[in-house]
Amino acid sequence: MSMVLNEDQMMLKDAVRGYCLTNAPVSVLRYLRDQQSEDGFSRELWRQMVDLGWAGMTIPEQYDGFGFGYGGLEIVLEETGRTLVPTPLVSTVLLCATAINLGGSEEQKSALLPAIVKGELIMALALEETPFHNPTRIATTARPQGAGYVLNGSKQLVIDGHIADKLIVVARTAGGQDDKEGISLFMVDRTATGVDVRRTLMVDSRNAAHVTLNNVQVDEEALLGDLHNGFIVLEKTLDIGRIGLAAEMLGNAQEVFDRIIDYLKQREQFGVLIGSFQGLQHRAAHMYSELELCRSAVRRAFDELDGAQEDIPILASIAKAKLSEVLCNISNEGVQMHGGIGMTDEFDIGFYLKRARVAQVLLGDATFHRDRYATLSGF
Amino acid sequence: MQELDQFRDNARAWLEHNCPASMRTPMTEDEVVWGGRNPTFKNPDSKLWLERMAALGWTCPTWPSEYGGGGLSKEEGLILAEEMQRIGARSPLNSFGISMLGPVLLEYGTDEQKLEHIPPIVRGEIRWCQGYSEPGAGSDLAALGAKAVLDGDDYIINGSKVWTSYADKADWIFCLVRTDFDVPKHSGISFILFDMRSKGVTTRPIRLISGASPFCETFFDDVRVPARNLVGKLNDGWTIAKRLLQHERTMISGFGLTSGRASRGALAATVEGAAMKYRGDTTKLSDAVLRDEIARYKIDSEAFAFTSRRSMEEAKTGKGPSATSSMLKNYGCELNKRRYELLLQAMGNQALGWESGDHTDFSKDELRITREWLRSKGNSIEGGTAEIQLNVIAKRVLGLPEMPIAAQKKGEK
């Protein structure tokens, strides 16, 4: 076990940090929002990130990836979380590439993973059907027809749905509502007949879409993993996604916290720096403590992903529950401790608050993961 | 790396062979071995276990072997701890000599002082107590007034201390005394060691809300102490005092490590296990609100354990505890307090008994939890209050400006 970054990871962290500060600062998100960018992300920046190898970090070398391990993605997600730069990292690399790598056939992996590494393919996971994360409540159906399947259903909060070339659709092929058995994964072209994708404009100015599937026909090669047994691949994919999101949230929280501390050291009222007030100092000290625990929860989970991979579900729920709770508080304090200026759109802190709430909810909020932790722990 | 693996194999084999079976079970408070001139061993195996570990210096694994320590590297020390944890081995010896005095004596003591005091600490022959707080110097520790005046080759000590843990059972005391009254309060303090059998030392136990008396008032009335027992430079005791507090905080932060997944399995021994048992639940805790609270507590405990681990790994490259020890101390104490509050909720009125009396309405374990719950309230007071720890984090870790009042008076522990 290693709770500290190794030398390679430290070097990568410096490099990624430097890149984000210079090329992908928080003004990128502001610009995309103000320009009402249709893509919702910068293809030029994504091209640069792909050239830096970010899309292929966790993909095995046999599929043209770099096999740097999840510890590399941890760093990239944390640092991009610090500047809020929109990328398809979560949708394509963290979720879809993982699902393909875990569940895909040799043909599927060879066809898709190298394209992801090269930045030629953007993918999105079409999972949610209700306002609350619930990966077993799948009403979307896939019925056998000829040698293939016909898909019908409706999906919401599909990250990067409208810019994706392909979707991985979670559908029910058997079983009743909430059954783990009977869930299957299908790969569907976004432009296929019967697929209707509409972008939903979100509070965080990041990408999400509503996907409607109306008698969408796919052939049998579209099935990802085993029929009826997709939940095994899905759950592991979601856990890796949760851990990755926790890393992004750690970057968000750390950035807000650093900005708070800076502000406490420069803002004067009553003739003294406001950072000298005990009422603010103790809140800052509490935030610092919680942030240290968050960092450990994230590091521990990623260390396990690159190690024995035991206990991943519980470590994922620890990380996502803890980060969701702490980021909620720190993002609120970010506004409060900056006072009036924190309420202005001109000031960046609001972007962090908005992204915080979306990230908290994605793949399960704090309550979801505390409930899951309790269940996994047998109480 | 290979040598470390070799060390692990050897340590594992040695422990397997030498750790008595009865020393591989969780220990209750009265089973803790404190050593000293008049040691008590509830179980003869405790004595055997202490002797075997002390012979290798493994009661203080990373202390230098020239003073009786184990001479292990930090990595080896970590491995030994892991291997002991693996078989559930008890700590063979618990003492303030190990957790507090030893580390600062090794850092600041003369060779003579180390040779005199370190080996008896390792072997558990001398039990130490801590003379820090005074009636008028709690959080504002540097305001202490117990004084030491030079008389020939000796210091004459007068004054009193309070909250001296186990002073009535200790053999020696490490003590903060004022040696200069004419300088700012932090600059006139010295750190001195003396025998509790010295003429003029008296102790009086203090009864706590839990009914127990782990702390004492300690009085010094013309106590004569050889001047060579002063550690470090005269009037520079505050530096050592602060360093020792960091070690103390690291020790106390261990209180937060009692839950987490290490305790999974022994269901009734955990908060969630108790909550289910007292409600007659078999598969799922029926109180949904309590279940969420317990999950939150356990998640925090796990993240805290990961943080302690990370702090240890980071310390491997640095030198001993840093200001983050305040964070760990504070969080660990709050976790321990949360645990007992949750245990009370888990057990309902079965957690509210005081004595068994003629009836057996309350079991021994239940009564113990009630007392421990009360005792836990002191966690965020002893070793520097929660508020003091937060001050330290704000100032030393986050670099926030001093509070106007502190800047004026310079008065913080």
Side-chain angles (χ1 to χ4, degrees):
Chain A
M1 198 202 312
S2 174
M3 290 299 292
V4 292
L5 297 180
N6 64 33
E7 218 163 286
D8 285 351
Q9 288 169 320
M10 293 294 278
M11 276 168 59
L12 178 69
K13 193 176 173 80
D14 286 345
V16 175
R17 184 88 184 264
Y19 172 82
C20 287
L21 286 175
T22 318
N23 298 31
V26 66
S27 55
V28 170
L29 177 64
R30 180 183 292 279
Y31 176 83
L32 291 165
R33 183 198 65 172
D34 292 348
Q35 297 300 307
Q36 298 181 316
S37 154
E38 276 183 25
D39 285 339
F41 80 116
S42 161
R43 290 191 187 268
E44 189 195 331
L45 284 181
W46 180 234
R47 166 56 44 206
Q48 292 173 8
M49 293 172 187
V50 165
D51 289 344
L52 289 169
W54 294 3
M57 267 177 176
T58 54
I59 293 176
E61 288 173 12
Q62 66 196 102
Y63 305 112
D64 300 348
F66 310 110
F68 194 89
Y70 283 95
L73 197 57
E74 171 189 8
I75 289 160
V76 167
L77 287 165
E78 184 185 339
E79 293 304 323
T80 51
R82 279 188 86 123
T83 66
L84 301 178
V85 60
T87 72
L89 276 169
V90 172
S91 60
T92 305
V93 179
L94 195 58
L95 293 172
C96 290
T98 300
I100 293 165
N101 199 28
L102 291 173
S105 65
E106 203 47 49
E107 291 74 28
Q108 288 167 329
K109 290 195 220 178
S110 312
L112 300 172
L113 294 178
I116 289 176
V117 175
K118 292 195 209 68
E120 291 163 0
L121 181 66
I122 292 176
M123 293 185 67
L125 180 67
L127 167 68
E128 308 290 0
E129 301 186 4
T130 70
F132 308 98
H133 177 64
N134 190 342
T136 51
R137 180 155 298 181
I138 302 298
T140 295
T141 56
R143 296 207 166 80
Q145 187 185 72
Y149 301 86
V150 177
L151 277 63
N152 278 290
S154 174
K155 297 285 187 180
Q156 53 181 267
L157 201 63
V158 180
I159 311 165
D160 290 332
H162 71 292
I163 55 164
D165 305 296
K166 271 182 194 298
L167 308 171
I168 294 178
V169 175
V170 182
R172 187 161 288 290
T173 43
Q177 186 182 342
D178 293 333
D179 282 350
K180 285 180 184 175
E181 294 75 27
I183 288 174
S184 307
L185 309 180
F186 295 91
M187 287 187 291
V188 180
D189 284 342
R190 180 175 56 91
T191 52
T193 311
V195 178
D196 181 40
V197 181
R198 283 167 205 218
R199 183 181 184 191
T200 41
L201 294 174
M202 303 294 289
V203 67
D204 63 348
S205 305
R206 301 270 284 259
N207 284 340
H210 196 104
V211 174
T212 313
L213 304 154
N214 188 12
N215 287 326
V216 179
Q217 301 195 1
V218 294
D219 55 28
E220 59 186 340
E221 279 77 48
L223 179 69
L224 182 67
D226 297 335
L227 187 68
H228 308 323
N229 273 328
F231 191 75
I232 296 165
V233 169
L234 177 64
E235 193 176 36
K236 185 142 193 214
T237 302
L238 293 178
D239 274 333
I240 292 174
R242 288 155 179 157
I243 294 168
L245 271 171
E248 184 206 308
M249 294 162 83
L250 177 65
N252 182 327
Q254 184 72 55
E255 180 66 21
V256 172
F257 180 71
D258 289 351
R259 286 173 184 235
I260 289 172
I261 297 298
D262 283 349
Y263 191 68
L264 294 182
K265 289 178 182 174
Q266 25 164 302
R267 171 75 173 168
E268 280 188 29
Q269 287 288 275
F270 305 103
V272 293
L273 293 168
I274 61 170
S276 64
F277 299 144
Q278 200 175 29
L280 301 187
Q281 287 190 346
H282 285 191
R283 274 154 64 190
H286 280 302
M287 279 189 269
Y288 163 79
S289 308
E290 293 293 353
L291 206 43
E292 286 294 303
L293 263 68
C294 284
R295 183 166 296 285
S296 308
V298 170
R299 182 81 276 275
R300 177 72 189 83
F302 271 98
D303 188 54
E304 193 66 22
L305 280 181
D306 281 331
Q309 297 217 350
E310 290 163 9
D311 268 356
I312 292 294
I314 212 156
L315 290 172
S317 280
I318 289 172
K320 190 62 174 50
K322 188 70 192 153
L323 264 296
S324 295
E325 184 184 323
V326 173
L327 179 57
C328 182
N329 178 50
I330 290 184
S331 59
N332 284 339
E333 289 283 48
V335 174
Q336 179 65 24
M337 287 214 179
H338 281 92
I341 197 173
M343 285 299 293
T344 64
D345 181 69
E346 191 186 347
F347 204 63
D348 288 335
I349 213 81
F351 281 104
Y352 289 88
L353 172 70
K354 293 168 182 173
R355 176 59 188 165
R357 288 303 176 280
V358 177
Q360 277 166 241
V361 160
L362 284 175
L363 310 187
D365 60 11
T367 328
F368 176 94
H369 284 289
R370 286 201 291 267
D371 173 69
R372 185 167 181 255
Y373 175 92
T375 304
L376 289 168
S377 304
F379 71 96
Chain B
M1 209 62 206
Q2 238 171 3
E3 285 121 51
L4 286 182
D5 289 342
Q6 185 63 48
F7 174 78
R8 187 184 292 278
D9 289 346
N10 292 346
R12 184 174 292 190
W14 188 88
L15 287 169
E16 202 49 66
H17 192 250
N18 288 283
C19 182
S22 67
M23 292 294 107
R24 302 182 190 197
T25 54
M27 90 185 133
T28 57
E29 212 177 308
D30 58 347
E31 288 176 321
V32 173
V33 174
W34 290 91
R37 286 176 185 138
N38 305 299
T40 49
F41 300 99
K42 242 196 130 188
N43 171 345
D45 282 350
S46 308
K47 186 165 185 283
L48 187 67
W49 177 224
L50 170 60
E51 284 165 359
R52 285 176 179 171
M53 287 290 275
L56 294 182
W58 280 7
T59 45
C60 307
T62 58
W63 291 9
S65 42
E66 54 189 306
Y67 304 117
L72 303 184
S73 67
K74 281 183 178 167
E75 285 88 348
E76 289 168 335
L78 211 54
I79 289 171
L80 177 61
E82 282 170 3
E83 288 303 316
M84 286 177 66
Q85 205 182 5
R86 200 181 61 83
I87 60 167
R90 295 179 179 184
S91 169
L93 178 65
N94 195 0
S95 85
F96 301 143
I98 294 177
S99 54
M100 293 195 261
L101 176 65
V104 297
L105 210 52
L106 287 168
E107 193 173 344
Y108 298 97
T110 62
D111 207 40
E112 289 75 32
Q113 287 170 337
K114 291 181 205 174
L115 284 170
E116 180 182 354
H117 298 295
I118 298 287
I121 291 175
V122 175
R123 294 192 297 264
E125 292 163 357
I126 291 294
R127 183 170 179 179
W128 288 84
C129 64
Q130 177 187 26
Y132 266 45
S133 292
E134 296 182 9
S139 285
D140 186 7
L141 178 63
L144 61 92
K147 64 177 176 179
V149 178
L150 197 61
D151 177 45
D153 290 336
D154 298 330
Y155 282 101
I156 310 293
I157 298 179
N158 279 287
S160 68
K161 295 285 173 184
V162 72
W163 307 124
T164 329
S165 306
Y166 305 114
D168 52 338
K169 299 187 175 71
D171 306 310
W172 276 65
I173 186 168
F174 49 92
C175 196
L176 295 179
V177 289
R178 186 156 301 284
T179 38
D180 191 338
F181 282 81
D182 302 325
V183 291
K185 61 183 175 181
H186 294 85
S187 312
I189 295 170
S190 297
F191 190 98
I192 199 163
L193 316 173
F194 54 93
D195 195 323
M196 289 292 278
R197 287 185 305 199
S198 310
K199 196 164 164 284
V201 177
T202 48
T203 60
R204 190 159 68 202
I206 303 167
R207 190 176 158 86
L208 298 186
I209 51 176
S210 63
S213 303
F215 300 105
C216 292
E217 291 176 280
T218 308
F219 303 95
F220 310 129
D221 190 10
D222 286 331
V223 180
R224 189 165 277 277
V225 177
R228 64 180 165 81
N229 284 6
L230 193 119
V231 180
K233 287 193 220 107
L234 182 67
N235 294 326
D236 194 25
W238 188 244
T239 310
I240 303 174
K242 279 192 298 184
R243 191 83 179 131
L244 187 137
L245 280 172
Q246 291 184 340
H247 290 288
E248 181 179 12
R249 284 161 190 166
T250 303
M251 169 191 73
I252 296 176
S253 73
F255 294 166
L257 293 173
T258 46
S259 79
R261 267 171 305 151
S263 59
R264 255 203 271 168
L267 204 61
T270 61
V271 182
E272 66 276 20
M276 288 170 74
K277 189 182 112 186
Y278 284 89
R279 282 163 183 74
D281 299 336
T282 49
T283 51
K284 185 174 175 179
L285 179 52
S286 53
D287 182 332
V289 176
L290 182 58
R291 182 171 177 265
D292 185 66
E293 243 342 278
I294 293 175
R296 205 164 71 84
Y297 158 73
K298 287 181 71 78
I299 285 170
D300 286 346
S301 297
E302 301 224 29
F304 179 75
F306 301 157
T307 307
S308 300
R309 167 82 195 199
R310 182 157 67 86
S311 166
M312 267 196 284
E313 286 185 26
E314 282 166 357
K316 266 197 263 176
T317 48
K319 39 179 195 308
S322 62
T324 55
S325 63
S326 284
M327 188 278 280
L328 293 172
K329 190 272 178 186
N330 191 45
Y331 211 102
C333 290
E334 293 302 327
L335 275 177
N336 201 44
K337 284 165 52 185
R338 270 167 75 187
R339 174 164 178 264
Y340 281 104
E341 287 297 336
L342 287 170
L343 271 169
L344 255 59
Q345 287 187 55
M347 295 162 61
N349 55 26
Q350 288 304 113
L352 299 175
W354 183 248
E355 273 168 343
S356 51
D358 295 335
H359 301 288
T360 49
D361 288 348
F362 303 106
S363 71
K364 234 176 104 185
D365 276 351
E366 288 168 341
L367 292 168
R368 179 176 55 79
I369 297 234
T370 312
R371 305 293 181 114
E372 287 177 358
W373 161 69
L374 286 162
R375 174 64 187 86
S376 73
K377 297 300 168 198
N379 294 164
S380 49
I381 300 169
E382 58 209 328
T385 61
E387 291 72 20
I388 289 293
Q389 309 303 340
L390 295 172
N391 288 351
V392 172
I393 294 169
K395 210 168 77 182
R396 303 223 187 96
V397 183
L398 304 178
L400 291 173
E402 282 210 81
M403 288 174 282
I405 184 165
Q408 283 163 26
K409 293 188 157 184
K410 249 322 192 164
E412 186 197 288
K413 185 166 174 178

